[in-house]
Amino acid sequence: MAAPHAVDGVDGGSRETELILPDSSSSGGEKRPQFGTRFLTDPRQVFQHNAWDNVEWTEEQETAAKKKVLENNQPLPQEKQDEYDTRANEYWNDFYTVHENRFFKDRHWLFTEFPELAPQFSLKQESHLEESEAASTGDQEQSQEVEPISLSDGNFPGSTATYRILEVGCGVGNTVFPILKTNNDPGLFVYCCDFSNTAVELVKTNPEYDPGRCFAFVHDLSDVEANYPIPDGSLDVLVLIFVLSALHPNKMQGSISRLARLLKPGGVMLLRDYGRYDMAQLRFKKGRCLSENFYVRGDGTRVYFFTQDELHELFTAAGLEKVQNLVDRRLQVNRGKQLTMYRVWIQCKYRKPAETGCF
């Protein structure tokens, strides 16, 4: 259930400067710096690059954006809202059936903004490298078939891994496959799930899908009673990239709280999603609003636009502690058409508190 507008550049991976992946054989690998380093100081040079970082909005722009949102805040009838909710799975399956993996887009910013996913920045690299050889052999027999899993005896996919990552809303693998390709730690095991069984099937039939290092499964994030194929307290990293915004706002808190239970003490939840007054929100026409800041696209999929405070409340209510919560305001430029597009994304990192022993 990853962001469906990747084909139009709405996904957060639009960067002109590509990430140079570190060479595992050398300690001198380079990567581009985090966002926030290219500033537009002379408006006459706006079309010199494809994107500008940390673009400050004028008071007039902020006012115009608020006015635009207010013009389109009349919600659709409740019966229509209920229809989009009950048919959500159908709409996402239709989306992936039509597009398959043709909108696949490498997220070159992934390891720069979230170094927790990269091998040289692993949260527990020193401790788990010693066990990684046993982990790599123990997981080779994992099957691609999703079968009933018993967690009580410790027998679950990736049970012998020493570093576990789960991406929720994986789509066709825009994040999963770069992780598998870049992170060569043999102790790594990656889980990925999506609401759409069509998307999950596309992941599992991808030539880069390795059942010895990855386990893909269908899961409804909003169903807090549904079981995950991994026990609570087993994940080092949880990734949510343009997925929480697809849920009904009433289901967000329960979903985040359920995910928080899967993290180990000290584990981290990473999020990147749409921010309030992003270009995508301002483009919605009348008749697409479901509720305040929550809209339905033409293909039936839905999207919410967050503020920093809203996300902070969701994470802290789930018992997580803030590591990072920032707004990425970017001016994207179409130099061919001489168009400017103001994007607003929010990036968060929240950590599960480490257990404190009693002495």
Side-chain angles (χ1 to χ4, degrees):
M1 200 160 58
H5 286 68
V7 67
D8 295 323
V10 171
D11 187 357
S14 298
R15 298 282 176 127
E16 181 187 42
T17 307
E18 295 190 358
L19 172 67
I20 302 174
L21 298 178
D23 183 348
S24 60
S25 63
S26 170
S27 60
E30 298 180 9
K31 62 184 186 307
R32 68 165 181 79
Q34 289 177 294
F35 66 73
T37 59
R38 178 179 289 164
F39 303 106
L40 178 62
T41 56
D42 184 354
R44 294 172 299 179
Q45 297 182 356
V46 65
F47 294 108
Q48 292 291 316
H49 298 287
N50 288 340
W52 299 93
D53 297 310
N54 290 338
V55 177
E56 293 294 332
W57 285 28
T58 65
E59 186 175 337
E60 290 78 11
Q61 282 178 295
E62 192 87 21
T63 301
K66 292 179 180 178
K67 181 180 178 182
K68 179 68 175 177
V69 170
L70 286 174
E71 290 175 354
N72 182 24
N73 68 346
Q74 185 63 37
L76 292 172
Q78 189 59 49
E79 58 268 22
K80 287 296 294 182
Q81 297 193 42
D82 293 342
E83 177 184 344
Y84 287 120
D85 194 54
T86 56
R87 297 180 61 189
N89 180 264
E90 176 185 338
Y91 290 126
W92 281 107
N93 277 330
D94 287 347
F95 172 80
Y96 288 111
T97 298
V98 171
H99 296 286
E100 294 183 339
N101 62 355
R102 287 190 294 272
F103 66 94
F104 183 93
K105 192 175 204 173
D106 281 333
R107 289 166 169 163
H108 300 297
W109 50 269
L110 191 63
F111 303 102
T112 305
E113 310 303 348
F114 297 140
E116 294 84 356
L117 303 175
Q120 68 273 33
F121 293 107
S122 288
L123 296 177
K124 301 169 68 176
Q125 186 171 356
E126 291 186 5
S127 62
H128 73 241
L129 280 178
E130 298 175 358
E131 308 169 50
S132 57
E133 183 176 351
S136 64
T137 56
D139 287 330
Q140 294 301 317
E141 302 303 319
Q142 296 291 347
S143 170
Q144 292 192 37
E145 297 300 321
V146 179
E147 299 177 354
I149 298 170
S150 173
L151 304 183
S152 59
D153 58 2
N155 181 25
F156 60 93
S159 59
T160 59
T162 54
Y163 198 73
R164 303 187 187 96
I165 298 172
L166 166 64
E167 186 191 13
V168 180
C170 62
V172 297
N174 298 39
T175 296
V176 171
F177 292 124
I179 293 175
L180 291 172
K181 182 177 181 180
T182 305
N183 191 335
N184 56 8
D185 177 2
L188 171 74
F189 198 88
V190 180
Y191 308 88
C192 58
C193 65
D194 200 277
F195 190 31
S196 166
N197 61 331
T198 303
V200 171
E201 192 59 31
L202 286 168
V203 169
K204 294 168 71 174
T205 55
N206 189 303
E208 295 185 22
Y209 182 74
D210 179 0
R213 303 181 68 215
C214 183
F215 184 79
F217 59 99
V218 177
H219 189 86
D220 180 358
L221 173 60
S222 67
D223 185 356
V224 296
E225 300 299 326
N227 292 323
Y228 285 86
I230 44 178
D232 291 350
S234 60
L235 294 176
D236 294 278
V237 181
L238 238 161
V239 187
L240 296 141
I241 297 180
F242 296 100
V243 59
L244 188 63
S245 54
L247 298 189
H248 191 286
N250 291 344
K251 298 180 179 180
M252 291 178 182
Q253 185 62 72
S255 300
I256 291 295
S257 296
R258 177 66 187 94
L259 289 174
R261 287 164 47 191
L262 294 173
L263 287 173
K264 296 176 181 178
V268 65
M269 194 177 298
L270 311 176
L271 174 141
R272 189 170 173 88
D273 221 320
Y274 298 107
R276 191 69 46 85
Y277 307 133
D278 176 64
M279 175 191 72
Q281 181 177 17
L282 303 183
R283 280 184 170 181
F284 277 107
K285 295 181 172 60
K286 292 182 179 180
R288 311 309 301 180
C289 183
L290 297 173
S291 61
E292 193 172 1
N293 302 301
F294 189 45
Y295 305 83
V296 60
R297 302 183 180 96
D299 59 7
T301 61
R302 301 171 296 175
V303 60
Y304 185 85
F305 296 87
F306 294 99
T307 65
Q308 289 174 277
D309 288 342
E310 288 173 340
L311 287 167
H312 181 73
E313 291 176 7
L314 289 173
F315 287 121
T316 54
L320 304 179
E321 299 174 342
K322 184 177 81 169
V323 177
Q324 180 187 80
N325 184 326
L326 52 82
V327 176
D328 179 7
R329 292 182 182 270
R330 181 159 311 146
L331 173 60
Q332 289 186 338
V333 174
N334 184 320
R335 290 187 279 183
K337 297 182 179 180
Q338 297 285 288
L339 296 175
T340 57
M341 301 163 283
Y342 288 88
R343 307 312 313 271
V344 182
W345 299 304
I346 298 181
Q347 184 168 299
C348 295
K349 299 182 185 183
Y350 280 76
R351 191 180 307 281
K352 189 171 187 176
E355 292 180 341
T356 55
C358 298
F359 299 97

